Amino acid sequence: MRKKVLLLVAVMVFSLVFPTNLNVGYATENGDTDELDIASSYYFIYYNGEKQDINLNEEVVLHLNGWTDDTQTSVQGYLSDKLGDHEVFSMNVGEEREQLSISNEENVLYRIAPSESYKAEQVEPVTFTDQATVVTENDNGTSIEEIKTVDEYGTIVHNQGLTYYSTDENQQKTVITKAEYDALNLVTDPSSSEDAEETATPSEEVIEELPTEDKVEEEIDPDASLEKAETEESTSTEEHTTVMPKAEASRALKAAVVNPSINYSSYVEGSKWQLPVKDGELSGTSGQSKRLEAVKIFIENANYSGGVTYKTHVQGYGWMTEEKDGAISGAPGENKRMEAIQIELTGEMAKHYDIYYRLHVQTFGWLGWAKNGASAGTEGLSKRVEAVEIKLVEKGAKAPGSTDKSFITKPSVTYSTHVQTIGWQPNVADGEMSGTSGQSKRLEGIKIDLENKPYSGNIEYSTHVQNIGWQNAVSNGELSGTSGQSKRLEGIRINLTGDMAKHYDIYYRVHAQTYGWLGWAKNGASAGTEGLSKRVEAIEIVLVEKGAKAPGSTSTSFVKKPTVTYSTHVQTKGWLSNVTNGASSGTTGQSKRLEAIKIDLTDAAFSGDIVYSTHIQGTGWVTNSSNGDISGTVGKSKRLEAIKISLTGDMAKYFDVYYRVHSQSYGWLGWAKNGMEAGSEGLSKRLEAIQIKLVPKGSGSSVSATKAFKKAKSVFLDPGHGGSDPGAMAGGYTEAALNLAVAKKVEKLLKDRGYIVYMSRTSDTYLSLLDRSKKANALNPDIFVSIHHNSTGSGSTTASGIESYYYKYNPAYPSVINSDKHNDPNRVMKSTLLADLIQNEMVNATDATNRGIDGETLAVLRETAVPATLLELGFINNTAERKKLVTSSYQNKLAEAIADGIEEYFERF
């Protein structure tokens, strides 16, 4: 069917009557804006929606984050180079090559096609083919075709634009101009009034708003205009000599009169002002990651009074001052991005039209249509506007497209906590603290919600509650935890769902009892503690754009009770399987010795090690082992007799290590902790089993050193004088030699009876009085016994007998190194008893004169911290007594008496 209405005539009439002075340029429909060589190489990316990286050169990497939405029409990406990461942008998916600027001097081309699997390759096209697509085909034999050049990969490398055709008498297609095509398709056949009415008459709604026909005829003489049109038309080809009737021309004129246009131009990063476009056409760029910096908007052919006002939201400035009718809004040339816009009609235009507008925004792509002054774009998200489309629509008519999410503001996470003795606190948002710090008050419940959500989805959260554990997740302001039950929150997990989870990460951290602020957790990970009975006291929650940096350190966001793992090497059995957290390793009731042990930590949230040392038969204490190393021996048949275990680093700040052993003859001894000795020493008792556990710092039960460790009683023997200090001398004998002889005999007797014996000296060497006490105090024996021989100090004497001394305080002789213990009543009491018991045994064994016991401020008694006595075994300058003192038999009697007195003392203490 041929077209019936010659709209060209109406337009010509309109232009004759209403000339315009506007100087507006337009691109032709088949104008080639692609100045790139069709053979230029490009990256062909087959994309499956997963995160991928493409090295564009030695410094620049293109990162693909995923589809921008479910339509898979664009991909979110960003560039990184030696300066770091750059802004996120969207990349079009399609059949044409797109250009991406990676520096001021370098661009790359790419094409993205959806695919089930990912592949990226740089291709160089070789073969090119022109493909024609029929755009319009009319009954009068005219048509329009779009011609595109494609390479061997099916990529459009050049768009030649539109070509117009007519069909000659031989049915051959002939290329014609657009003007010829328009003229051929605007001619109407007056014989078909129905078709003419269909083509040329505006809708009834429009006609109601148009000037009346009489009014139009007052302004324009239709007869004169039509007469001119008929004359011009009659000079064209015979096939197109039909003239539009007067009534139809009038209606066409009305249609032309009532079609105002909204014209707009944008200032694009690096491109300056673009040519104006109008009525929904795109102004700006898409897929080039270029920001709009400013816009100019005006109405052309307004058929009512009024105009257009608009204002833009610009980086660093916020909402700018309102502009109108073609004035500049924004900050052109200042390298500041436009982020949002508001556009509104004024006067009579606002009564008859709605103005719709939408923006193409970094990351989000095309947003929904806003209208009549509403905000479009984003605010608070630092996203650039890349393109704009604006349309005029008759008042109340349908929007040009979806109006969903035309304006996106930064979403906010709000939350409130229920605090011990305080109750529900007011809502806070976006990283503010909820709860208390420094008040030792537990959180008992929490409610969390989202505001200003730019996407679909919810916020879900679950809390770990005292004696309950992890609760089921709740969402959107519901209570998690308890209220009125006095139960502490110990941990929390928070995550986003739906599209919110695609575009944002949720970070959160808690202030936990003992530990203070822990690190930031995100997206459903646990924060707080578990298994440690520690209360959460406060919380902070933050929304962050997907993939952006965390608000702080993410180390140690969750502390779970670490596991101590250990294994023992048992006589005839070898290494046993690992056990953990207080379980027994070894045997009981089988009389089998432990020979070695390995101890390690797993799931430790803090830095630090576990170190341990064992007391080995015949060797004593060995150097520390750590973190699974062997302590002890394998294959040597040597028993472990005792063990010490401790933690280091931050582990020692937050945990205590407890352990106890099953020891031969004793069974299970008491618990030791943090490096205390457990087992026995000097008793030749084997370890048979062990238990080890970790306890939160300070929360374990008390321990007793005497219950955890059985040690043979220890005696410090101090043979007086020596070396340059011979002591008393008579008959060719020195006191120092006699003191050492008796002390060695006592040493042997005590060791044979199972005691640990230390000697101040074992040869004729000098040691000062203070050094003797220092040595004893360092070894911490159970008692101190100093052995001496008496003398009156001049010639021979008739004085004889044995006497013993304990410490008696004298303010004239203050303590040098033993101020805490020198006059301790308990020490003095035990010292007195020790002296008395040994004195009695020596007198009974030798029948020597009993000179008794007495208190003196002697240096070794004053400065030694343990119960101490000084013995005088007889007078070296008494000839008769000396003859006995130098004999081995008499020395044996004295030595055995001293050992008996010591043993009697230990039976009491």
Side-chain angles (χ1 to χ4, degrees):
M1 182 194 305
R2 291 184 300 166
K3 299 292 182 180
K4 302 300 193 301
V5 179
L6 187 58
L7 293 179
L8 179 60
V9 174
V11 173
M12 292 172 61
V13 172
F14 178 81
S15 65
L16 289 171
V17 180
F18 299 105
T20 177
N21 293 321
L22 291 175
N23 183 15
V24 182
Y26 298 94
T28 58
E29 289 187 60
N30 64 346
D32 184 9
T33 60
D34 185 0
E35 299 178 356
L36 297 168
D37 187 343
I38 63 172
S40 296
S41 65
Y42 61 94
Y43 288 90
F44 198 156
I45 304 169
Y46 300 87
Y47 192 57
N48 61 353
E50 298 176 353
K51 287 190 175 183
Q52 304 291 347
D53 295 336
I54 303 171
N55 295 318
L56 301 182
N57 59 33
E58 292 182 354
E59 294 182 347
V60 181
V61 179
L62 171 61
H63 305 273
L64 305 180
N65 283 344
W67 304 115
T68 56
D69 54 40
D70 292 339
T71 63
Q72 297 186 5
T73 56
S74 59
V75 175
Q76 184 187 84
Y78 68 94
L79 295 173
S80 63
D81 56 23
K82 62 183 179 181
L83 298 178
D85 294 344
H86 297 274
E87 289 184 336
V88 176
F89 50 81
S90 60
M91 304 173 67
N92 288 341
V93 174
E95 298 178 347
E96 298 186 28
R97 296 181 303 180
E98 303 280 350
Q99 184 168 284
L100 176 63
S101 175
I102 64 174
S103 71
N104 291 333
E105 297 81 20
E106 186 176 359
N107 298 319
V108 296
L109 299 177
Y110 69 88
R111 175 191 170 189
I112 301 178
S115 175
E116 292 296 325
S117 59
Y118 171 78
K119 179 183 178 183
E121 58 180 334
Q122 191 169 16
V123 299
E124 295 185 2
V126 176
T127 305
F128 305 98
T129 306
D130 287 345
Q131 291 184 352
T133 302
V134 176
V135 177
T136 304
E137 194 168 32
N138 303 309
D139 291 343
N140 62 0
T142 59
S143 62
I144 305 174
E145 295 182 6
E146 185 176 26
I147 311 299
K148 297 178 180 179
T149 303
V150 300
D151 63 12
E152 63 267 36
Y153 301 97
T155 302
I156 299 171
V157 296
H158 179 55
N159 190 339
Q160 300 180 31
L162 303 177
T163 302
Y164 301 87
Y165 296 95
S166 66
T167 304
D168 61 19
E169 61 275 7
N170 296 321
Q171 300 301 308
Q172 296 296 315
K173 288 200 305 183
T174 303
V175 176
I176 61 175
T177 66
K178 180 178 184 298
E180 290 173 325
Y181 175 89
D182 290 340
L184 290 171
N185 286 285
L186 287 173
V187 175
T188 184
D189 181 356
S191 64
S192 177
S193 60
E194 179 180 329
D195 288 341
E197 192 74 23
E198 175 184 310
T199 306
T201 304
S203 67
E204 292 182 2
E205 286 184 343
V206 174
I207 291 174
E208 290 175 2
E209 297 175 3
L210 296 176
T212 64
E213 189 167 334
D214 292 338
K215 177 67 174 175
V216 173
E217 289 177 353
E218 286 178 13
E219 298 173 350
I220 306 173
D221 184 351
D223 293 334
S225 298
L226 287 173
E227 182 179 353
K228 177 177 175 63
E230 289 171 3
T231 302
E232 293 175 350
E233 184 66 19
S234 65
T235 62
S236 63
T237 60
E238 294 182 1
E239 186 179 353
H240 306 292
T241 57
T242 308
V243 177
M244 180 186 293
K246 176 180 177 181
E248 292 180 9
S250 178
R251 284 195 295 270
L253 179 59
K254 293 176 187 176
V257 170
V258 295
N259 286 315
S261 290
I262 187 75
N263 287 40
Y264 43 101
S265 175
S266 55
Y267 189 100
V268 178
E269 169 190 356
S271 301
K272 310 305 179 186
W273 285 103
Q274 292 188 326
L275 293 174
V277 297
K278 62 180 180 179
D279 300 334
E281 293 180 304
L282 180 146
S283 182
T285 63
S286 176
Q288 297 184 41
S289 303
K290 292 182 178 294
R291 63 180 171 268
L292 292 195
E293 297 180 0
V295 294
K296 296 185 289 189
I297 309 171
F298 63 94
I299 297 176
E300 183 183 34
N301 302 331
N303 54 333
Y304 295 100
S305 62
V308 60
T309 62
Y310 43 95
K311 60 181 177 178
T312 53
H313 189 282
V314 177
Q315 172 188 356
Y317 294 138
W319 286 105
M320 306 285 283
T321 304
E322 185 176 83
E323 303 293 347
K324 65 179 181 178
D325 299 328
I328 297 173
S329 179
E334 295 187 30
N335 298 322
K336 293 184 178 292
R337 63 181 170 267
M338 245 180 66
E339 297 176 346
I341 196 168
Q342 297 171 350
I343 311 176
E344 194 166 10
L345 298 174
T346 62
E348 290 296 315
M349 285 295 295
K351 297 180 180 179
H352 296 280
Y353 290 94
D354 293 318
I355 187 163
Y356 281 87
Y357 40 98
R358 68 171 183 166
L359 302 179
H360 191 280
V361 175
Q362 174 189 356
T363 303
F364 301 111
W366 284 109
L367 301 182
W369 291 89
K371 75 171 183 176
N372 298 345
S375 297
T378 68
E379 186 174 348
L381 300 178
S382 301
K383 301 295 183 183
R384 64 179 172 267
V385 173
E386 298 176 350
V388 60
E389 294 177 351
I390 312 173
K391 282 189 176 183
L392 290 176
V393 174
E394 294 177 35
K395 197 68 177 180
K398 289 183 178 179
S402 172
T403 57
D404 289 340
K405 295 184 179 67
S406 60
F407 184 62
I408 301 174
T409 59
K410 186 176 181 180
S412 180
V413 57
T414 62
Y415 41 101
S416 173
T417 55
H418 191 278
V419 180
Q420 172 188 357
T421 73
I422 296 176
W424 285 107
Q425 293 190 316
N427 269 345
V428 296
D430 301 327
E432 294 179 290
M433 187 188 83
S434 183
T436 62
S437 177
Q439 299 185 42
S440 301
K441 292 185 180 294
R442 64 182 172 264
L443 296 193
E444 298 176 347
I446 190 169
K447 300 174 184 176
I448 312 174
D449 208 351
L450 294 176
E451 294 182 356
N452 302 324
K453 289 190 302 180
Y455 303 102
S456 62
N458 297 317
I459 189 164
E460 294 182 344
Y461 44 100
S462 172
T463 52
H464 191 279
V465 179
Q466 173 186 356
N467 298 330
I468 295 176
W470 287 107
Q471 293 186 315
N472 292 332
V474 298
S475 62
N476 302 340
E478 296 178 299
L479 168 66
S480 183
T482 62
S483 179
Q485 298 185 38
S486 300
K487 292 184 180 294
R488 64 180 171 264
L489 297 189
E490 298 175 346
I492 192 167
R493 298 168 179 158
I494 311 174
N495 64 281
L496 302 171
T497 65
D499 285 344
M500 280 297 293
K502 295 179 182 178
H503 295 280
Y504 290 92
D505 294 318
I506 183 89
Y507 280 89
Y508 42 98
R509 68 171 183 166
V510 302
H511 190 281
Q513 176 187 355
T514 304
Y515 304 116
W517 283 109
L518 297 176
W520 290 91
K522 76 169 182 176
N523 298 345
S526 299
T529 68
E530 183 178 346
L532 301 176
S533 301
K534 301 293 183 183
R535 63 182 171 265
V536 171
E537 298 176 347
I539 189 170
E540 295 174 351
I541 311 173
V542 177
L543 283 174
V544 173
E545 288 188 48
K546 198 71 177 179
K549 290 182 179 179
S553 171
T554 57
S555 64
T556 317
S557 60
F558 183 63
V559 183
K560 188 175 181 180
K561 187 176 181 180
T563 297
V564 58
T565 304
Y566 43 103
S567 173
T568 54
H569 191 279
V570 178
Q571 174 186 357
T572 72
K573 291 180 179 290
W575 286 107
L576 302 184
S577 299
N578 280 338
V579 296
T580 61
N581 298 337
S584 294
S585 182
T587 63
T588 58
Q590 299 183 40
S591 301
K592 293 187 180 293
R593 63 181 171 266
L594 298 190
E595 297 177 345
I597 190 168
K598 296 183 288 189
I599 312 173
D600 205 357
L601 295 174
T602 56
D603 301 325
F606 300 101
S607 61
D609 301 319
I610 189 164
V611 298
Y612 41 98
S613 173
T614 53
H615 190 282
I616 303 173
Q617 173 188 353
T619 303
W621 289 104
V622 296
T623 56
N624 279 336
S625 300
S626 63
N627 302 336
D629 294 332
I630 296 173
S631 183
T633 63
V634 176
K636 295 184 179 182
S637 300
K638 290 184 176 291
R639 65 181 172 264
L640 297 187
E641 296 178 344
I643 192 168
K644 296 182 287 189
I645 309 173
S646 58
L647 300 171
T648 66
D650 286 345
M651 282 296 296
K653 295 179 182 178
Y654 298 116
F655 291 93
D656 295 316
V657 58
Y658 278 73
Y659 45 98
R660 67 171 182 166
V661 298
H662 192 280
S663 182
Q664 176 186 353
S665 303
Y666 293 106
W668 285 109
L669 297 177
W671 287 95
K673 72 174 184 177
N674 298 343
M676 291 172 55
E677 297 167 331
S680 67
E681 183 179 349
L683 300 176
S684 300
K685 302 292 184 183
R686 64 180 171 265
L687 296 189
E688 297 177 344
I690 189 170
Q691 297 173 341
I692 311 171
K693 62 184 179 180
L694 295 175
V695 175
K697 196 72 178 179
S699 63
S701 57
S702 61
V703 296
S704 168
T706 58
K707 291 180 180 179
F709 185 63
K710 302 299 180 182
K711 183 179 179 180
K713 297 297 183 180
S714 58
V715 179
F716 190 96
L717 295 178
D718 174 38
H721 307 285
S724 60
D725 176 20
M729 295 184 292
Y733 295 94
T734 65
E735 180 190 356
L738 294 178
N739 294 343
L740 184 60
V742 175
K744 285 186 174 181
K745 291 178 181 292
V746 176
E747 177 190 25
K748 184 177 184 307
L749 288 171
L750 290 175
K751 284 185 175 180
D752 289 343
R753 298 183 189 186
Y755 293 98
I756 298 171
V757 182
Y758 307 110
M759 298 279 283
S760 63
R761 64 185 181 93
T762 57
S763 61
D764 188 21
T765 55
Y766 174 78
L767 199 65
S768 72
L769 296 177
L770 191 61
D771 285 341
R772 294 168 193 263
S773 294
K774 285 181 178 179
K775 186 174 181 179
N777 291 345
L779 292 167
N780 192 31
D782 290 296
I783 59 174
F784 177 97
V785 178
S786 188
I787 297 175
H788 287 256
H789 286 74
N790 222 336
S791 175
T792 58
S794 60
S796 62
T797 182
T798 57
S800 66
I802 298 171
E803 58 190 15
S804 300
Y805 293 92
Y806 56 89
Y807 172 69
K808 183 177 181 181
Y809 173 66
N810 185 338
Y813 299 95
S815 174
V816 177
I817 61 171
N818 191 33
S819 58
D820 290 340
K821 290 290 186 180
H822 76 98
N823 203 32
D824 177 72
N826 187 54
R827 187 182 87 94
V828 173
M829 179 271 292
K830 289 182 177 180
S831 298
T832 304
L833 178 61
L834 177 62
D836 187 56
L837 291 173
I838 295 175
Q839 174 74 15
N840 290 336
E841 289 293 336
M842 288 192 296
V843 170
N844 291 336
T846 62
D847 292 326
T849 301
N850 186 357
R851 295 175 64 88
I853 63 173
D854 199 1
E856 283 288 347
T857 312
L858 301 173
V860 291
L861 301 184
R862 180 179 66 246
E863 303 300 344
T864 300
V866 297
T869 185
L870 186 147
L871 310 177
E872 296 283 1
L873 304 185
F875 285 81
I876 192 174
N877 64 343
N878 181 312
T879 304
E881 196 160 62
R882 182 177 63 247
K883 288 181 180 180
K884 293 186 291 183
L885 291 173
V886 299
T887 65
S888 179
S889 60
Y890 192 79
Q891 290 174 357
N892 287 340
K893 287 182 180 180
L894 288 170
E896 189 166 359
I898 293 170
D900 288 344
I902 289 171
E903 191 162 25
E904 189 175 349
Y905 171 85
F906 281 132
E907 287 176 357
R908 303 192 185 192
F909 298 104

